[in-house]
Amino acid sequence: MSSQLSHNRRNFLKIAAVTGGGLFLGFNWTESEAATQTVLTKGISAVPGVDFNSYLSINPQGVITILSPNPEVGQGIKTAFPIIVAEELDADWKNVVVEQAPLDTKKFERQVAGGSGSIPHSWKRLREAGATARHMLIDAAAKRWNVSAADCSTSKGFVLHAGSNRKLSYGELATEAGKMTIPSDVKLKEIKDFKLIGQTIRNVDNPGIITGKPLFGLDFYREGMLIGMLQRPAFGYKLKSVDSAAAKAMPGIVNVVTINNSVAVVGKSTWQVKKAKDALKIEWEKDGNLESTSDHNRLFKEMLDSPNTTVRRKDGDVETAFKNAAKVIKAEYQCPFLPHNPLEPMNFFAHVKADSAELVGPSQTPESARNQAAKLLGLPPEKVTVQLTRMGGGFGRRLNTDYAIEAVQVSKAVNAPVKVMWTREDDMTGGIYRPAVRYRFEAALDAQNNLIGYKLRGASINAGNATREDNFPSGAVENLLIDSIDHKSPITTGPWRAPITNFLAFAEQAFLDEVAHAAGKDPVQFRLELLDKAKKNPTGKITYDIDRMKGVIQLAVEKSGWGKNKNVSQGISVYFSHRSYVAQVGEVVMEKGKPVLKKVYSAADCGVVINQSGAQQQVRGCVVDGIGHAMYGNITFKDGIPDQKNFNDYKLIRMNEIPEIEVHFVQNEIDPTGLGEPSLPPAGAAVANAIFKATGKRLYNQPFVQTEVFKGVS
């Protein structure tokens, strides 16, 4: 289906660059009014005070460049954005390049990598930009040939004339196109005519990554810069005293300074600074509660039994439903704190001067980093620049800006450019963890084994609302109560890939599987019946698309051959998050008396798939992440101090433990939805439900390897 876009011409800024020629088209990401058209005489960068938000340029050599505002954290946005533009432009992909934009809130909106929202936010804007440029190139060719634009078409970077077989490259037409009137209406391609979108295209950064080009924050180097490392307190402690004499006397050390509650060592090289940091003699003192994992386990029990909860959703008469139930099923599920553990530890460069500051590094929220730095330094935000580097993983950790602000503080303290670097131990013990949570579920069945009542209580530590009260099966159960309670802890937490749902999905889907078995129903059929009920007789509001959820279940069932292979034990899980729907089937076999995960089928509905390569990688990465942390991930505490500090005592999933993963996408014409996170939440339950099928034993707590199920299976 094609789309006809009627856009305000002021949403575009066409610039014909006299010097060097070419078409330079600015397109407005916020859909607010752009400035009037301007002709440059000193090059593209010489447009003072023009408020537009992104650019598509074509030079006389035919090279097409898009300036990408969103941070690249491994989600492939630097590849996906130009694919979308190139599709509508009918460009030859080998001539398309993309450049990372610096932070610029006057020109860009939502310079954020988080919430799986980059593509949904930019999809139509990027298509419109490519289509507009294509129409202008056609108009330029038609004018040169003195023919009707209706008789011209485009293909792989050329404008073609049907009547004479003439053709001109985009590079040849770029300067003339830059002088054409911006069309008020452009027709977007029909999805069936896509040539690039939906294909398998390699990541544009691959050559730089595999050849070791300086793409990441840790690679950044500035002549004369110093290296900084900080010793930070554990949770519930504050700095009492520090003896830095030995550290200061070590080779290459420039200074040792106190920054708030931490001690920073600054020197000429990473190794020199690390050795000096290890030589610090620091005394800490108590500053609040010193919490241990044993305290958290006690708190969970108290919170689950507490009357002081916040009701998030209540439908029907829950009390009567449970009172009259023929059968009640109860279960509790618990997860630990988890670090993010990106391959690249936290780091950032800062150069603070008297009236300005320069920041360079990996951030998922560069605007927040700039604003906090400006406030700290007492500078106007426009006096603080932020240049983005590629990130070696983030998973939500780099939504927080603490490490960038540390660089600002250290640079100011020593009056020099400084790159602050965290070690792996700093990264794993430095907080901003996934919150620890415990859930209590109850389900009521009538005499015909119909689900007539459902209760969920979320007890959490620094999670706020640990439920998602409108997620399935809400809307499918007449009598439903969902509430939550939270404990405020000195242990810091933050978003962790697919916040809240990364564990909630496991708990909900494992519990529904248990309810299905208690009702004597096939787990797939049980879910489909609930969805049919929600569609025919909904209770309260429904915020998920029932047909899309059913669609991924049916696709996963089809591709996995659900129930047909008697040599494997299968478990299913389905979840909606970040606007997308994912169903997964895990397959387990028993080997030497132990359950072994052999395969995971993943069926996703994320709307139109931009790049099969990137989409496959996102889903596979989510599955591996979800399974690995469900199986092994665990941070415990003793008096506020993390017990695990590096990968020697914090296990990640190993290559030989990763199952075969088969990925399928629902084919539709829905605008793209999120994909960086939605395939993680259902992974744990697909595995746990398959393990139950194989062993007859349920998994309630993560990490799985520490549960009685694994200890008891032989």
Side-chain angles (χ1 to χ4, degrees):
M1 181 177 180
S2 64
S3 299
Q4 190 80 20
L5 293 183
S6 298
H7 54 267
N8 190 318
R9 291 184 186 179
R10 290 175 297 182
N11 284 350
F12 284 84
L13 181 71
K14 171 176 60 65
I15 303 169
V18 176
T19 303
L23 169 64
F24 195 81
L25 182 68
F27 55 100
N28 191 316
W29 293 67
T30 61
E31 299 181 345
S32 61
E33 293 186 358
T36 55
Q37 299 173 27
T38 304
V39 175
L40 293 181
T41 57
K42 296 183 179 179
I44 291 171
S45 62
V47 187
V50 178
D51 188 12
F52 45 84
N53 295 68
S54 194
Y55 311 103
L56 164 67
S57 67
I58 305 173
N59 71 12
Q61 289 71 45
V63 176
I64 301 157
T65 303
I66 182 172
L67 197 62
S68 179
N70 289 57
E72 174 58 66
V73 69
Q75 79 278 43
I77 205 67
K78 282 180 69 176
T79 305
F81 270 18
I83 287 174
I84 298 169
V85 175
E87 180 64 72
E88 290 291 349
L89 186 59
D90 257 350
D92 189 336
W93 177 247
K94 72 176 186 291
N95 292 329
V96 176
V97 297
V98 63
E99 297 178 0
Q100 179 66 59
L103 175 69
D104 192 332
T105 54
K106 291 183 177 179
K107 296 180 180 179
F108 304 112
E109 180 189 53
R110 199 190 180 278
Q111 283 188 272
V112 172
S116 300
S118 295
I119 292 294
H121 173 265
S122 305
W123 166 248
K124 289 184 178 179
R125 294 170 172 84
L126 293 165
R127 291 186 69 190
E128 185 177 345
T132 299
R134 177 166 55 87
H135 279 262
M136 294 167 69
L137 289 160
I138 288 174
D139 289 345
K143 183 178 180 181
R144 182 187 291 195
W145 290 328
N146 194 27
V147 299
S148 170
D151 294 329
C152 299
S153 62
T154 56
S155 178
K156 289 191 174 182
F158 286 88
V159 177
L160 314 173
H161 181 236
S164 62
N165 292 324
R166 287 176 289 183
K167 68 177 184 178
L168 290 168
S169 72
Y170 286 177
E172 292 174 289
L173 292 166
T175 300
E176 293 168 73
K179 301 174 184 178
M180 304 303 296
T181 301
I182 297 174
S184 58
D185 299 295
V186 293
K187 184 178 181 180
L188 301 182
K189 285 185 178 182
E190 293 187 22
I191 290 176
K192 66 178 180 62
D193 295 328
F194 284 168
K195 298 181 179 67
L196 287 173
I197 291 177
Q199 301 304 307
T200 298
I201 297 175
R202 293 177 180 176
N203 189 301
V204 295
D205 276 345
N206 279 357
I209 293 171
I210 63 177
T211 57
K213 295 294 190 296
L215 303 176
F216 300 91
L218 282 177
D219 297 325
F220 180 80
Y221 176 77
R222 174 71 56 78
E223 186 70 31
M225 78 176 189
L226 301 174
I227 299 296
M229 290 186 178
L230 284 80
Q231 187 64 58
R232 304 164 187 85
F235 305 103
Y237 292 87
K238 66 179 180 180
L239 181 64
K240 183 177 181 180
S241 65
V242 56
D243 180 354
S244 60
K248 287 181 176 179
M250 295 178 74
I253 301 307
V254 174
N255 207 342
V256 177
V257 295
T258 299
I259 303 292
N260 295 335
N261 208 27
S262 302
V263 181
V265 180
V266 182
K268 296 181 180 179
S269 76
T270 304
W271 184 244
Q272 289 173 327
V273 171
K274 183 183 183 303
K275 297 294 288 184
K277 177 190 168 189
D278 293 341
L280 291 172
K281 298 177 181 178
I282 299 177
E283 186 177 359
W284 308 99
E285 61 182 345
K286 183 179 177 181
D287 185 33
N289 294 330
L290 304 182
E291 295 181 356
S292 301
T293 297
S294 58
D295 298 318
H296 299 151
N297 291 333
R298 172 182 52 80
L299 284 166
F300 282 139
K301 185 178 186 303
E302 293 173 357
M303 287 191 287
L304 287 176
D305 293 333
S306 172
N308 302 315
T309 61
T310 300
V311 174
R312 302 296 178 177
R313 176 165 175 161
K314 186 174 183 181
D315 297 329
D317 187 345
V318 180
E319 294 77 10
T320 300
F322 276 85
K323 180 180 178 181
N324 297 333
K327 188 183 297 183
V328 173
I329 303 95
K330 298 181 180 180
E332 294 185 9
Y333 302 81
Q334 185 170 322
C335 72
F337 292 95
L338 287 183
H340 296 78
N341 286 334
L343 184 61
E344 177 190 27
M346 301 303 105
N347 66 90
F348 228 80
F349 169 86
H351 189 186
V352 176
K353 302 177 183 178
D355 58 354
S356 65
E358 177 191 12
L359 305 183
V360 182
S363 174
Q364 293 179 248
T365 53
E367 183 180 357
S368 179
R370 183 201 65 177
N371 292 346
Q372 291 182 46
K375 183 178 180 180
L376 175 70
L377 299 172
L379 294 173
E382 59 269 20
K383 290 293 185 179
V384 180
T385 63
V386 182
Q387 178 61 53
L388 301 176
T389 63
R390 186 181 177 92
M391 285 173 265
F395 314 113
R397 177 59 181 89
R398 287 186 162 100
L399 291 169
N400 196 287
T401 61
D402 54 316
Y403 58 99
I405 299 307
E406 284 181 345
V408 172
Q409 292 172 313
V410 175
S411 175
K412 181 181 179 182
V414 301
N415 193 29
V418 175
K419 182 164 75 170
V420 164
M421 298 175 62
W422 291 39
T423 64
R424 176 58 60 193
E425 289 81 2
D426 293 334
D427 211 52
M428 196 173 291
T429 62
I432 321 295
Y433 301 116
R434 180 188 77 173
V437 182
R438 188 171 182 88
Y439 294 108
R440 176 180 290 165
F441 289 84
E442 299 178 55
L445 300 177
D446 65 13
Q448 289 73 44
N449 285 319
N450 298 308
L451 180 60
I452 59 171
Y454 181 89
K455 290 195 286 188
L456 163 61
R457 173 167 294 182
S460 57
I461 299 174
N462 287 352
N465 176 15
T467 72
R468 290 295 180 264
E469 59 272 15
D470 295 327
N471 277 12
F472 177 76
S474 293
V477 186
E478 301 96 321
N479 307 291
L480 176 142
L481 174 63
I482 297 178
D483 56 19
S484 68
I485 185 170
D486 190 57
H487 167 71
K488 301 303 179 186
S489 168
I491 298 172
T492 57
T493 62
W496 192 97
R497 195 175 192 178
I500 302 299
T501 61
N502 54 59
F503 179 70
L504 176 60
F506 157 72
E508 287 180 341
Q509 289 295 305
F511 182 65
L512 285 177
D513 199 76
E514 185 167 352
V515 175
H517 280 83
K521 298 180 179 180
D522 175 79
V524 169
Q525 193 58 39
F526 180 70
R527 288 167 171 82
L528 292 175
E529 286 177 3
L530 285 174
L531 288 166
D532 286 338
K533 183 179 176 182
K535 187 165 186 177
K536 294 174 183 176
N537 298 296
T539 300
K541 66 178 179 180
I542 294 179
T543 58
Y544 51 90
D545 188 308
I546 294 169
D547 291 333
R548 292 181 74 185
M549 185 170 279
K550 288 180 64 176
V552 292
I553 293 174
Q554 291 161 347
L555 182 59
V557 165
E558 174 196 340
K559 297 300 181 182
S560 67
W562 176 261
K564 295 178 181 179
N565 185 353
K566 303 306 179 183
N567 296 319
V568 298
S569 297
Q570 294 180 314
I572 192 165
S573 176
V574 60
Y575 215 70
F576 161 62
S577 68
H578 297 85
R579 300 170 295 276
S580 292
Y581 300 79
V582 180
Q584 292 172 353
V585 173
E587 288 188 344
V588 166
V589 299
M590 298 298 291
E591 294 182 354
K592 298 180 180 179
K594 296 182 180 180
V596 177
L597 179 65
K598 287 294 187 178
K599 189 168 184 176
V600 173
Y601 296 87
S602 188
D605 182 351
C606 58
V608 174
V609 175
I610 307 301
N611 179 10
Q612 283 288 337
S613 174
Q616 288 265 346
Q617 290 171 36
Q618 286 295 293
V619 173
R620 293 172 189 274
C622 279
V623 172
V624 172
D625 217 6
I627 293 171
H629 284 91
M631 288 291 295
Y632 305 114
N634 192 23
I635 281 279
T636 57
F637 298 86
K638 179 63 176 176
D639 295 331
I641 301 173
D643 294 317
Q644 296 77 21
K645 297 177 173 59
N646 207 319
F647 293 131
N648 62 310
D649 50 20
Y650 183 97
K651 183 175 179 179
L652 294 176
I653 191 170
R654 302 296 194 258
M655 291 291 288
N656 66 332
E657 296 167 327
I658 296 172
E660 179 184 354
I661 301 170
E662 187 174 308
V663 180
H664 299 275
F665 295 101
V666 174
Q667 302 298 313
N668 58 39
E669 297 187 0
I670 297 171
D671 286 353
T673 49
L675 196 55
E677 293 162 284
S679 295
L680 187 150
V687 174
N689 294 338
I691 289 174
F692 166 75
K693 189 70 179 295
T695 66
K697 298 182 180 181
R698 291 284 177 189
L699 291 165
Y700 295 104
N701 300 324
Q702 294 182 3
F704 294 162
V705 293
Q706 294 182 11
T707 65
E708 289 300 318
V709 171
F710 276 83
K711 293 177 183 177
V713 173
S714 59

